Amino acid sequence: MRPWPGSAYPLGATYDGVGTNFALFSEVAEKVELCLFDDAGEETRVRLEEVDGFVHHGYLSGIEPGQRYGYRVHGPYEPEQGLRCNPNKLLIDPYAKAFSHGVDWDESLFGYSFEDADERNDLDSAGHVPYSLVTSPFFDWANDRLPRTPYNESVIYEAHVKGLTMTHPGVPEELRGTYAGLAHPAVVEHLQGLGVTAIELLPVHQFVTDHYLVEKDLTNYWGYNTIGFFAPHDAYTSRPGAQVEEFKAMVRAMHQAGIEVILDVVYNHTAEGNHLGPTLSMKGIDNQSYYRLVEDDEQFYMDYTGTGNSLNVGNPHALQLIMDSLRYWVTEMHVDGFRFDLAATLAREFYDVDKLATFFELVQQDPVVSQVKLIAEPWDVGPGGYQVGGFPPQWTEWNAEYRDIVRDFWRGESATLGEFASRITGSSDLYQDTGRRPYASINFITAHDGFTLTDLVSYNEKHNEENGEDSRDGADDNRSWNCGVEGPTDDAEILALRDCQRRNLMATLLLSQGVPMILHGDELGRTQGGNNNAYCQDNEVAWVDWERAGADDAMTHFTGALAAFRAQHPVFRRRRFFEGKPIRKGDELRDIAWFTPAGEEMQEQNWDDGFGKSIVVFLNGDAIADRDARGERVVDDSFLMAFNAHHEDIEMTLPSQDYGNGWGLVIDSCAGTVSSTPMDDVVPAGGTLTLPARSVVVLQRVTS
């Protein structure tokens, strides 16, 4: 079989309806063989003789979607020089758009001999490594359009494809745990009922379960171990080989429901690990180009991720891989944005995190990628890696400062009022000076990594015994409070307190300035039994228990009502930061004002009170300082939000008539009520209201 010359671009396998063009970059390769496999596993090797700009390429007529293939790269094997070519290893195409199966961890996958690590391992790995698959680019999108929901109107729902759907009684059993199951009307309707505008999926790029987990009969459930940046994970499809089609159909269904799809992507490292890891793909194709190596000893890898290696973002070909992948998922798969895992690593061209790194420049000027949602996990494990507030203006960030202070406030920690006030109003101290808006802050209280909301109020300590590491894994700084008993209890008083605390946390999240992110199942009372690191628990520990959800229907309704209330009132989702002053001449009231429960404006000494656990904030709906699409000034009702983290009820005195003559209750977290209009009993200016222990109360101004 002799290929036509074909083209050096695009990289990967590209089917045009007649045949397929194959293109692979390798600067160190002396020869590249394309390996085609039939249904019986028989291999045919075709040398790619055309080379342009270190891209080896060729076109084969008659090669259609479903064809299984891989590469063998001939070249130097000198690990101490960072060179690890070995033609005995069948290599995954870094640009492959689908895979046939997983990795079985046979000895042949490793480039070195188990008996002598200095010797090259010449065992053939074909059959033990996934086959790359040729895919079809043709799909009926039915006039699909990206919702493009503005950030300030967004409510994000972080979810796992399998974990969200695996036990859902409304999803047919054969579709559970798949892209098709995620697209099922029963799931979509639940998301719509919660007011969700975007679902953020844990990694769906093809990933590998680590060898040490396989040995313990565990699974890389979260998926942060990518091996294919273009391919939807094959285990999430209901039909073998249909992962691309099913993923696209899922995105189309979400878009029809007005829900965006955001992908959690892992471009900081790959599943090939360190010098002891397997040779699956880029390590055998061009190790020096794709990975960060230790400068004075290139057999070892720089590791800013805690996983063994770091992608070499200082190399233009590695950067091209990332950017090509991002564009592919937007243009071909129609996704709406990305959350970048350990994003600080992508800013390390040399050693330090650099906001002017080439990666950010490429994203900024890219006409496709720059137009979708870009969310950073703004840290890694390297020196200076914690970069909350440090990303460029185009980016939004997971705000860990918000998570920590909201947890501290509601568990009753002292001296939290000042920072709590800053976080619930958009964290201007982190984002305003760089020209960003409140929605640069992706607010979250829980995420996949850590306790669920139910566990946050039920456990003081992590309980990760099932992970097989004697609970040494997972974070120790959980900032949780078990409300008096560790874990499950039948005590009705403690259960009621935990329910109230969950509502307090959810109300705080959905009424804060910024973009709220809800962890899947938090509205359903999901528990992991105190496991705060369920990355390897592909079972009932981490799956959403929909049977339990039926018993916690009140929390689901409360969450959906809060999201609807937020959508109804733009004062809770401002596009601009508060200024603490009137926005126009002649106005009497500032856009925001803070009060003690006694009805007196907060003074500097009040913010410093270590014992302060309660605060009241006035939000002026007449001073939003924004205009709608028609250029008309945005106005809203005005509100008082009262937060009481004290363990006792407090008599709250309402502000003077300057702020309004009367106020009606609309939200009471203790009672679990949310009303779209003020309730009948109006509290006059200067009047008093009992603020229940550990509660959020919101009042709406009913008379000016």
Side-chain angles (χ1 to χ4, degrees):
M1 186 179 294
R2 186 175 181 83
W4 298 348
S7 172
Y9 186 86
L11 291 166
T14 306
Y15 176 68
D16 62 6
V18 176
T20 302
N21 188 81
F22 295 89
L24 180 77
F25 161 78
S26 177
E27 189 169 345
V28 299
E30 297 165 359
K31 180 173 73 170
V32 170
E33 290 178 308
L34 169 67
C35 306
L36 304 175
F37 294 85
D38 63 19
D39 292 341
E42 293 296 320
E43 178 180 357
T44 300
R45 301 186 186 185
V46 180
R47 181 173 180 175
L48 300 182
E49 298 182 353
E50 294 291 328
V51 184
D52 293 310
F54 304 114
V55 176
H56 304 250
H57 57 90
Y59 180 93
L60 290 173
S61 179
I63 299 298
E64 298 184 342
Q67 173 65 56
R68 295 181 292 179
Y69 73 98
Y71 290 104
R72 297 184 186 272
V73 174
H74 299 253
Y77 181 80
E78 300 172 10
E80 66 280 1
Q81 303 299 320
L83 303 171
R84 295 180 178 271
C85 296
N86 185 342
N88 298 294
K89 308 307 168 189
L90 183 69
L91 301 175
I92 293 167
D93 182 357
Y95 280 73
K97 298 178 180 65
F99 290 86
S100 62
H101 56 79
V103 169
D104 67 4
W105 293 109
D106 186 78
E107 183 180 349
S108 63
L109 296 174
F110 296 83
Y112 56 91
S113 170
F114 281 10
E115 295 181 358
D116 184 352
D118 292 330
E119 291 293 325
R120 193 178 82 167
N121 178 350
D122 286 339
L123 294 174
D124 197 305
S125 65
H128 302 286
V129 69
Y131 296 122
S132 304
L133 298 178
V134 176
T135 62
S136 171
F138 308 116
F139 180 77
D140 181 9
W141 280 103
N143 298 317
D144 178 68
R145 297 181 63 185
L146 276 61
R148 298 198 181 279
T149 306
Y151 269 118
N152 69 310
E153 297 177 11
S154 296
V155 175
I156 297 175
Y157 190 81
E158 189 195 30
H160 189 283
V161 171
K162 187 173 185 179
L164 181 60
T165 63
M166 198 61 189
T167 71
H168 199 302
V171 176
E173 189 170 349
E174 67 274 13
L175 300 183
R176 294 176 188 174
T178 70
Y179 304 119
L182 192 63
H184 192 275
V187 176
V188 174
E189 289 169 9
H190 178 77
L191 298 177
Q192 289 178 308
L194 291 176
V196 168
T197 68
I199 186 168
E200 181 178 305
L201 298 177
L202 266 68
V204 298
H205 288 176
Q206 188 76 26
F207 62 86
V208 171
T209 289
D210 321 65
H211 190 203
Y212 79 94
L213 290 176
V214 172
E215 290 181 321
K216 294 193 294 184
D217 199 26
L218 295 171
T219 302
N220 190 320
Y221 170 67
W222 286 350
Y224 291 93
N225 204 30
T226 304
I227 196 61
F229 295 121
F230 292 76
H233 190 56
D234 68 301
Y236 296 156
T237 183
S238 64
R239 294 177 291 117
Q243 54 264 47
V244 174
E245 179 184 353
E246 278 198 13
F247 184 91
K248 289 179 177 180
M250 179 271 293
V251 172
R252 183 180 61 194
M254 289 294 176
H255 286 177
Q256 289 171 349
I259 298 173
E260 295 182 308
V261 177
I262 297 172
L263 301 187
D264 194 336
V265 289
V266 188
Y267 293 114
N268 52 74
H269 75 279
T270 78
E272 292 189 287
N274 60 17
H275 61 290
L276 298 177
T279 299
L280 303 175
S281 182
M282 294 181 282
K283 185 180 285 187
I285 293 171
D286 195 327
N287 189 54
Q288 289 178 319
S289 293
Y290 282 117
Y291 293 113
R292 293 283 301 269
L293 305 180
V294 175
E295 193 169 298
D296 56 354
D297 194 350
E298 292 189 319
Q299 68 178 308
F300 299 113
Y301 294 78
M302 297 296 295
D303 183 10
Y304 297 115
T305 64
T307 60
N309 65 50
S310 301
L311 215 63
N312 185 10
V313 292
N315 183 281
H317 297 285
L319 281 173
Q320 180 186 359
L321 173 72
I322 296 173
M323 295 305 299
D324 285 350
S325 170
L326 292 170
R327 279 191 294 271
Y328 172 79
W329 286 96
V330 176
T331 59
E332 298 298 323
M333 307 296 266
H334 288 207
V335 304
D336 304 273
F338 305 95
R339 179 266 189 188
F340 292 80
D341 177 65
L342 300 180
T345 298
L346 299 175
R348 293 183 185 272
E349 288 187 342
F350 296 100
Y351 298 101
D352 295 330
V353 178
D354 185 359
K355 288 191 291 186
L356 300 178
T358 303
F359 172 69
F360 293 131
E361 294 178 354
L362 290 174
V363 170
Q364 177 73 31
Q365 60 79 41
D366 191 281
V368 174
V369 181
S370 65
Q371 299 306 304
V372 299
K373 288 182 169 64
L374 303 171
I375 304 170
E377 182 186 36
W379 52 78
D380 65 12
V381 300
Y386 189 75
Q387 291 289 322
V388 173
F391 274 68
Q394 192 176 19
W395 290 69
T396 62
E397 302 175 8
W398 270 27
N399 189 347
E401 302 292 315
Y402 178 95
R403 173 199 63 198
D404 292 347
I405 197 62
V406 171
R407 288 185 177 193
D408 277 347
F409 178 80
W410 283 114
R411 68 183 178 132
E413 287 294 291
S414 301
T416 57
L417 286 183
E419 189 175 357
F420 179 76
S422 176
R423 299 296 159 244
I424 67 172
T425 53
S427 296
S428 60
D429 59 322
L430 297 176
Y431 304 114
Q432 190 170 27
D433 289 346
T434 55
R436 290 195 274 178
R437 300 288 183 87
Y439 49 74
S441 177
I442 305 298
N443 299 329
F444 68 104
I445 296 168
T446 56
H448 68 274
D449 187 2
F451 281 147
T452 67
L453 190 63
T454 292
D455 289 354
L456 189 67
V457 300
S458 304
Y459 295 91
N460 284 351
E461 307 294 335
K462 63 186 180 183
H463 296 268
N464 298 357
E465 292 80 9
E466 291 177 301
N467 293 358
E469 299 180 43
D470 296 323
S471 272
R472 293 188 302 270
D473 63 305
D476 293 313
D477 183 20
N478 293 296
R479 306 190 185 212
S480 59
W481 179 47
N482 64 19
C483 297
V485 173
E486 186 74 356
T489 180
D490 294 327
D491 189 310
E493 188 174 333
I494 290 177
L495 291 174
L497 176 56
R498 288 177 177 177
D499 286 346
C500 190
Q501 285 287 80
R502 287 193 298 143
R503 291 193 294 269
N504 290 335
L505 290 159
M506 189 65 75
T508 303
L509 177 65
L510 286 167
L511 297 176
S512 294
Q513 305 296 326
V515 181
M517 186 186 80
I518 301 169
L519 172 62
H520 79 175
D522 274 355
E523 77 284 4
L524 304 169
R526 185 172 75 93
T527 177
Q528 295 179 165
N531 191 322
N532 74 347
N533 189 33
Y535 76 103
C536 56
Q537 298 296 328
D538 186 6
N539 50 48
E540 290 81 0
V541 171
W543 299 342
V544 173
D545 183 351
W546 286 92
E547 183 176 346
R548 176 189 176 92
D552 204 22
D553 198 45
M555 184 65 182
T556 303
H557 285 300
F558 182 73
T559 303
L562 281 171
F565 187 86
R566 175 188 180 88
Q568 181 184 357
H569 293 289
V571 74
F572 295 102
R573 44 182 177 81
R574 291 167 53 103
R575 294 180 62 252
R576 302 175 188 276
F577 286 108
F578 292 103
E579 297 183 11
K581 61 183 181 181
I583 64 168
R584 299 188 312 277
K585 290 183 178 180
D587 284 352
E588 298 179 359
L589 298 180
R590 291 164 289 170
D591 53 5
I592 190 171
W594 299 93
F595 299 91
T596 69
E600 300 171 351
E601 288 207 39
M602 292 282 287
Q603 304 299 317
E604 186 173 348
Q605 64 270 21
N606 300 126
W607 293 111
D608 297 332
D609 286 342
F611 56 83
K613 303 277 196 312
S614 306
I615 196 168
V616 179
V617 56
F618 166 74
L619 302 181
N620 188 349
D622 293 326
I624 295 179
D626 201 2
R627 297 186 180 277
D628 61 22
R630 298 186 299 274
E632 297 179 3
R633 191 166 69 89
V634 175
V635 295
D636 192 9
D637 298 301
S638 296
F639 296 89
L640 286 174
M641 288 197 298
F643 301 88
N644 181 22
H646 190 47
H647 65 274
E648 294 180 341
D649 296 352
I650 291 177
E651 286 298 309
M652 169 187 168
T653 301
L654 272 59
S656 68
Q657 290 183 338
D658 293 341
Y659 295 90
N661 292 327
W663 300 86
L665 183 69
V666 286
I667 296 175
D668 182 346
S669 68
C670 206
T673 57
V674 180
S675 176
S676 59
T677 57
M679 299 179 190
D680 294 337
D681 294 335
V682 175
V683 183
T688 60
L689 179 73
T690 299
L691 192 57
R694 298 189 176 97
S695 68
V696 178
V697 167
V698 179
L699 302 169
Q700 182 175 329
R701 187 168 65 186
V702 294
T703 55
S704 58

